[in-house]
Amino acid sequence: MRATSAVRPTAGTGAGGTSTAGTGTAGTGTADAGACTAGRRPRARAGAALLVLPLGLGALAACTSEPVDPARAGTVVVSADLPFASLNGATAAGRAPGSVLVRGLVQSGFTSLAPDGTVTVDESFGTVEKVTDDPLTVRYTIAPTARWSDGVPVGPADLLLEWAARSGQLDEVVPELDADGAVVSTSDDVVLFGAPSAALTRASSVPTVDGATVTVVYDVPVADWEVALDVNLPAHVVGRWALDPDAPPLPTVAPSVPAATSTATTAAGDGPATTPAATQPASPSTSATPATTGDATPGEQDTADADGDADAEAEAWAQAVVTAVQQQDRAALVPLSRVWRTAGRATDVASDPTLTTTTGPYVLAQVDASGVEVVRNERYAGDAAASYDRVRLRTDLDPLAQVDAVDDDAVDVAAPVSTRDVLAAAEDLEDVAIGTGGDAVLQLVVQEGAGGVFDPTSHASAPDPAAIAAGLRAAFLASVPREEVVADAVRPLWARAQVSDVVAAQVAPAASTAAPGEPTPAPERAADPVTVRVLTNTADPVRSVALDLITDAAADAGMAVVPVDADPAQTLRTRPEDWDAALVPVAQDDLPVAAFVARWRSGGATNVTGHTDPALDAVLDALAAQPDRAEAADALTSAAQALRTWGAVLPVVRTPALTVTAVRDPESDPGLPVVADVPVLTPAAADLTWWWGWTRR
């Protein structure tokens, strides 16, 4: 018999749902003669295989007479099957969930985005202020406490570099992108950052610099102005790497990342470029050295001289970036854009200084096949300092192995994929807190073009083809048993799961829900069933159960649902003719409003359904250009309502998420870290800074 049940407290709110993560109660069972020494508690699953921690952390057995590694108490180990791909948040690889997770731990910036779309400003980093509405003018003021982990102050060069990369104004060619949005190939001698954002492409003028202030003027208003621009890669590091002929070459070995998030291919011959005379920054050897006091000892004097030289050198390379952007110096911008595209990828930290130069309370120390390790950033001066010496993020364990690792004290927090067997294994543990909640919104979207059953052109012989297509859409969506899907597919994994009416995934608090409008009258049941090809990932148990329920219910409405046997991610974007409806989880985007508009506007960049509605386009155009939060929320609600009424989309439920945290007591668990208040990890969030709050103080 177990000493205690798995702890399932009810306090807290997960992203898009209710979290049960919280503080658990330690077991009270009596240890027998063979129990662990040093006050270690007995475990219910003593037979679980031991897991070895890399990087010298060592394996912590459930029962051992060996002394506990004293460094372990200051090291938190987190496990999640979310591989890290890149620190460059503007690239496809940098937007992968594992990259977002790592960046949320090591990077600070002006703002962070909560799961519900709320924007929070970190004033210890700086402020973002809307100066005027016409034209939309946004002022960024960098705080003196904002520093890179090498001690170099964050400066205007860092924002100018990101504007250059994200505005698209300096790119000389339109890049070729793969299905994931990554640049697949490009010439070696062109200016190409290849990462235009829907917001900054509307800020065509080079931002102005005044001391620690950078001002951006938009050509037209944008709704996402608060999160449109932030610090990403260090300009002084990118500048030196691109412009210093003595800098080491770029890494030539492709990073080991998931295929879906592979980054741009490094062009042959990538390496440091000769600095043009027009942009030649001051050489470190000729940089002015700050004066030191006469009281300094020789050792102190040497350290001060070295720091002064390093600061002057960094300032020179940062200024070279500023000059290149302001003067649009092509000779400098070609290598700068090439380095920017390549830098920050998952590789040996010793070969890429952008990996170890960050602004947050932690800094990357190692990247390997099993995950990443970060250490306390001693130069961090912001408001959210590190609580631990090290955080190890393991990405090499399958879901059940993650649970076993928590049981063995090899992992402190695990966020495995939530399935019934994984949840049952977690509930069988002692001394854990189990958090469940909701993540991405699972939606059923309808393909309105490409010659499918919901395309009016497929009913050209009918008196009113559009009415026939609308009636079929209404009949199909009305047949979906949303309550049954919630009850059978999700509620066993998340007790508080409810039917979702969220159309615009995680854009703004309570702003994107919409009740269904009056349905279009459905046609009479046909003698022969109408075939509906549904695209979804049937390897996911939740979607597999949902598809079975949808299939059975549709049959009662005279429709035969046929699953599409193809890769959902690729087929959704590239082969619209192969599916009539798709059951897909919709994640948050780093520009939430712009992403929603691109998804549903006629001809939108990510409009995979072929939806076209001039009336909705007018609403979406107004939404995209609405800088006022409250008014944007109203426009978003109107757009969501129109899509539901049309029969373009049907929200179903949020996908389940699970987080398991070891519950410990400092006295009975010596040498192990004590963690608390860990929220449910939701990988679909565009920013996971909020999730790491428990690792900061």
Side-chain angles (χ1 to χ4, degrees), residues 405-423:
V406 175
D407 188 39
D408 292 332
D409 286 333
V411 165
D412 307 304
V413 179
V417 173
S418 183
T419 62
R420 298 192 186 204
D421 58 338
V422 172
L423 180 59

Side-chain angles (χ1 to χ4, degrees), residues 123-498:
E123 294 190 358
S124 68
F125 192 91
T127 58
V128 182
E129 177 187 4
K130 183 175 66 173
V131 180
T132 63
D133 285 313
D134 187 16
L136 176 62
T137 303
V138 181
R139 182 166 58 211
Y140 297 81
T141 302
I142 303 167
T145 47
R147 287 185 169 270
W148 294 99
S149 52
D150 59 2
V152 174
V154 173
D158 301 306
L159 288 174
L160 282 185
L161 176 62
E162 197 62 7
W163 172 86
R166 304 308 310 277
S167 69
Q169 300 302 315
L170 306 182
D171 286 358
E172 294 179 334
V173 296
V174 177
E176 179 187 353
L177 304 178
D178 63 18
D180 298 307
V183 178
V184 294
S185 63
T186 187
S187 173
D188 193 32
D189 60 352
V190 298
V191 178
L192 178 62
F193 292 94
S197 87
L200 287 177
T201 54
R202 291 166 169 78
S204 60
S205 299
V206 177
T208 59
V209 175
D210 182 10
T213 297
V214 175
T215 302
V216 178
V217 179
Y218 288 85
D219 307 325
V220 296
V222 295
D224 295 310
W225 62 269
E226 288 179 287
V227 292
L229 178 64
D230 214 323
V231 169
N232 184 16
L233 298 181
H236 65 286
V237 174
V238 173
R240 186 208 166 207
W241 205 358
L243 303 175
D244 184 1
D246 296 326
L250 302 177
T252 57
V253 178
S256 176
V257 297
T261 57
S262 60
T263 59
T265 302
T266 302
D270 274 0
T274 301
T275 307
T279 59
Q280 177 70 47
S283 168
S285 62
T286 60
S287 300
T289 303
T292 55
T293 65
D295 296 332
T297 66
E300 291 172 340
Q301 182 70 50
D302 291 344
T303 300
D305 289 346
D307 288 345
D309 286 346
D311 288 347
E313 180 182 4
E315 183 179 354
W317 293 121
Q319 184 57 45
V321 172
V322 172
T323 301
V325 173
Q326 290 179 335
Q327 297 183 1
Q328 300 189 21
D329 182 350
R330 185 180 187 277
L333 289 172
V334 168
L336 281 170
S337 65
R338 185 172 63 241
V339 168
W340 186 92
R341 289 196 315 271
T342 306
R345 299 182 304 182
T347 185
D348 181 4
V349 296
S351 66
D352 185 348
T354 62
L355 287 173
T356 54
T357 310
T358 52
T359 57
Y362 295 92
V363 61
L364 271 173
Q366 184 157 337
V367 178
D368 58 30
S370 66
V372 305
E373 184 169 301
V374 305
V375 297
R376 186 191 303 272
N377 177 6
E378 300 294 349
R379 303 290 187 97
Y380 178 77
D383 289 343
S387 296
Y388 300 96
D389 297 324
R390 293 177 180 267
V391 178
R392 175 72 186 172
L393 175 61
R394 297 191 60 177
T395 60
D396 60 334
L397 303 177
D398 65 50
L400 285 174
Q402 291 183 47
V403 176
D404 286 340
V406 175
D407 188 39
D408 292 332
D409 286 333
V411 165
D412 307 304
V413 179
V417 173
S418 183
T419 62
R420 298 192 186 204
D421 58 338
V422 172
L423 180 59
E427 290 177 330
D428 193 45
L429 299 184
E430 296 177 0
D431 306 328
V432 298
I434 297 176
T436 58
D439 193 14
V441 181
L442 195 62
Q443 297 182 352
L444 195 63
V445 296
V446 174
Q447 178 57 253
E448 300 178 44
V453 67
F454 301 125
D455 183 352
T457 63
S458 297
H459 311 282
S461 61
D464 190 346
I468 294 295
L472 289 171
R473 288 198 308 270
F476 176 63
L477 295 181
S479 74
V480 176
R482 296 197 297 166
E483 290 285 357
E484 290 182 48
V485 171
V486 173
D488 293 359
V490 180
R491 203 164 284 150
L493 303 172
W494 173 28
R496 297 186 181 184
Q498 300 291 333

Side-chain angles (χ1 to χ4, degrees), residues 501-568:
D501 287 313
V502 174
V503 175
Q506 300 143 305
V507 171
S512 58
T513 57
E518 291 296 324
T520 303
E524 294 183 4
R525 181 186 176 106
D528 297 323
V530 174
T531 299
V532 179
R533 300 162 301 165
V534 176
L535 176 68
T536 196
N537 179 11
T538 54
D540 171 21
V542 169
R543 278 174 269 182
S544 179
V545 171
L547 180 60
D548 289 343
L549 294 170
I550 291 170
T551 300
D552 293 342
D556 295 337
M559 296 184 173
V561 169
V562 177
V564 176
D565 185 16
D567 175 27

